[in-house]
Amino acid sequence: MKQQKPKVRRIDPLEPLKMEIAAELGLLEQIHSNGWHSLSAKDAGRIGGLMTQRRRKDG
């Protein structure tokens, strides 16, 4: 019998920023209860756009 490799979860360095923006937009409860896949494309795009803006401003 072949042993399965343990799944390694990569830690995204932008995860805290993503969570902060989601909280500001009022989406954090939805994400915690249903996961990231439950967001609409519009909401996911808004989070991504704001992340990009902040990274450019800070970087």
Side-chain angles (χ1 to χ4, degrees), residues 33-44:
S33 61
N34 301 324
W36 287 101
H37 65 276
S38 68
L39 293 179
S40 67
K42 182 179 178 181
D43 289 334

Side-chain angles (χ1 to χ4, degrees), residues 15-32:
E15 191 74 20
L17 177 60
K18 188 180 355 176
M19 294 299 264
E20 178 184 326
I21 292 172
E24 290 173 9
L25 296 175
L27 300 171
L28 203 54
E29 183 64 36
Q30 179 183 352
I31 292 166
H32 283 302

Side-chain angles (χ1 to χ4, degrees), residues 4-22:
Q4 288 184 337
K5 290 183 181 179
K7 289 193 177 189
V8 177
R9 183 179 164 108
R10 290 188 219 153
I11 299 172
D12 185 4
L14 298 176
E15 191 74 20
L17 177 60
K18 188 180 355 176
M19 294 299 264
E20 178 184 326
I21 292 172

